[in-house]
Amino acid sequence: MKLPDFSIVTSVKNRTDMLSVSLPSWLNKPQIKELIIVDWSTTDYNLKLLENLDPRIKIVRVPNKKYFHVAKAHNTGIKHASYEHIIKIDVDYVLNPYISLAEFLKFDWNNEFMTGYWGLNKLDAELGFMQHLEGFMCIRKTFLNSIGGYNESLTGYGWEDTEIYLRIRKKLGLKRVVI
């Protein structure tokens, strides 16, 4: 199956140690043509250093924010994404180097979207490999824009993914395919 080219969208505030582990796994996938990293006023690391690693990396800075507003951060990243096909991924998710994107992104891009699901962590045998995958979504940018993106009235983080998945299904009638 031939996959389209993707933009990865992620956001970070003071979790750059995790990003230093996950970023190489994203760069390893040839279909990922750009990585939009929204820097929500990070103070623990100079993300400028990452821009020099690979020309696909684009840092979007949002300065002077005391608190992380993840829904706004995701919407900022999506707005800056150049490609129609988006992988929205949490900063601490590592893509398996031994599995190609084509092996697990098998769904109908016109009628479905793919996500992780936190409830499946029981399949993990408590080893920590598949926990908290709610923050992974593959979808067309057009669909996200048509529903107004993430709900910015939700502050902090933790419910923004669940809420947008429900709205995508209700407003667009797309089927949610779980990894």
Side-chain angles (χ1 to χ4, degrees):
M1 176 175 109
K2 179 161 173 21
L3 284 180
D5 293 337
F6 292 94
S7 294
I8 272 197
V9 173
T10 195
S11 55
V12 62
K13 180 174 177 78
N14 296 334
R15 295 179 78 194
T16 52
D17 54 339
M18 294 174 186
L19 183 60
S20 67
V21 173
S22 56
L23 186 62
S25 78
W26 306 342
L27 291 169
N28 190 38
K29 304 297 182 186
Q31 295 89 0
I32 297 172
K33 299 301 181 188
E34 73 176 353
L35 292 94
I36 307 296
I37 302 170
V38 178
D39 172 9
W40 201 263
S41 304
T42 292
T43 59
D44 69 347
Y45 187 80
N46 183 357
L47 289 175
K48 183 107 177 114
L49 298 172
L50 298 179
E51 289 176 305
N52 298 326
L53 288 178
D54 191 290
R56 295 176 289 170
I57 298 172
K58 298 176 184 169
I59 309 292
V60 178
R61 289 174 179 75
V62 181
N64 306 315
K65 298 293 182 184
K66 184 175 180 180
Y67 300 106
F68 191 33
H69 193 308
V70 72
K72 281 186 181 181
H74 292 336
N75 285 339
T76 299
I78 291 163
K79 181 178 77 174
H80 284 86
S82 303
Y83 292 86
E84 170 64 13
H85 297 84
I86 303 283
I87 298 175
K88 198 294 289 180
I89 193 166
D90 283 354
V91 71
D92 55 349
Y93 288 10
V94 174
L95 296 176
N96 187 327
Y98 302 108
I99 298 175
S100 73
L101 289 178
E103 286 181 67
F104 76 93
L105 296 182
K106 295 178 182 177
F107 65 98
D108 178 354
W109 287 92
N110 295 314
N111 299 300
E112 299 173 333
F113 67 110
M114 180 178 270
T115 73
Y117 174 54
W118 66 271
L120 293 180
N121 65 346
K122 303 263 186 285
L123 298 175
D124 183 26
E126 312 265 336
L127 294 175
F129 293 111
M130 291 179 52
Q131 292 194 1
H132 315 294
L133 290 178
E134 195 77 7
F136 180 91
M137 175 173 53
C138 292
I139 192 166
R140 295 177 74 123
K141 183 176 179 175
T142 304
F143 294 147
L144 292 174
N145 289 339
S146 72
I147 63 162
Y150 282 84
N151 181 349
E152 293 185 9
S153 69
L154 298 172
T155 58
Y157 59 94
W159 291 102
E160 78 286 348
D161 294 312
T162 302
E163 190 277 337
I164 199 170
Y165 302 159
L166 292 171
R167 273 191 302 123
I168 291 167
R169 290 172 57 199
K170 184 177 180 180
K171 291 186 176 189
L172 300 178
L174 297 179
K175 179 183 175 189
R176 180 181 178 184
V177 176
V178 176
I179 298 172

